[in-house]
Amino acid sequence: MVTPRRKLAGDAWGALLQVHAALVPALDRELRRRTGLTLAWYDVLLELRSATDHRLTMSELGDRVVLSRSRVSRVVDELVGQGLVARAANPADARSAYAVLSAAGEQRFLEAAPIYVSGIESGFAAGLSETELRTITAALERVRERLG
């Protein structure tokens, strides 16, 4: 028997998945169309730009982005090929390397950021009040904290 709480949990989960499934491809299409960057590329550039010295080890980058570890490596390779990211040796650990944001990568990120932010506003936040946005953020942060 499905309890009211389980029904509510299932409904909330379903709504989260549906919003994600609709918004992510729309953001990806708009970024590609207007900047040539995929959403995965943007995600990596975002994390590198926010990191100290605009660099992260591949392991650190894998922990931060919403991509699988193997996909992170492929995306970094693609960004290196475009001159947006460079790989640098890690003097503290010869087994790992840094992904480093290049000047061209930072410029492309800065061009794409307003498009990304606008897409979130129009596709996700536009129909929600500031109180609702705070409530959603707080609830999802609690879930994320519980998951580790």
Side-chain angles (χ1 to χ4, degrees):
M1 177 177 170
V2 176
T3 65
R5 179 174 171 79
R6 284 195 178 178
K7 166 91 170 80
L8 185 58
D11 290 348
W13 176 249
L16 177 65
L17 291 178
Q18 290 171 352
V19 167
H20 183 272
L23 188 54
V24 167
L27 282 171
D28 186 64
R29 278 191 304 276
E30 189 66 7
L31 278 172
R32 282 178 194 250
R33 184 179 73 76
R34 296 184 55 194
T35 69
L37 297 176
T38 67
L39 189 54
W41 286 16
Y42 180 84
D43 191 21
V44 169
L45 295 176
L46 170 69
E47 293 303 336
L48 290 174
R49 182 147 193 288
S50 67
T52 304
D53 298 327
H54 300 311
R55 68 178 49 225
L56 293 167
T57 65
M58 294 300 290
S59 179
E60 291 168 330
L61 188 56
D63 289 341
R64 291 184 180 200
V65 297
V66 292
L67 302 167
S68 69
R69 297 255 183 199
S70 61
R71 180 90 173 105
V72 169
S73 184
R74 283 194 303 265
V75 169
V76 168
D77 287 344
E78 292 167 358
L79 290 166
V80 167
Q82 295 294 312
L84 304 179
V85 170
R87 286 190 188 261
N90 181 351
D93 182 359
R95 296 170 296 158
S96 72
Y98 285 105
V100 183
L101 183 66
S102 70
E106 184 168 21
Q107 181 60 39
R108 292 287 294 282
F109 169 81
L110 292 173
E111 292 168 7
I115 297 161
Y116 180 78
V117 171
S118 176
I120 290 171
E121 174 58 36
S122 64
F124 175 72
L128 301 169
S129 69
E130 288 185 14
T131 299
E132 289 168 323
L133 289 168
R134 283 188 198 93
T135 300
I136 290 167
T137 300
L140 292 174
E141 284 176 352
R142 282 196 314 272
V143 171
R144 185 179 60 204
E145 286 169 9
R146 255 190 53 260
L147 295 172

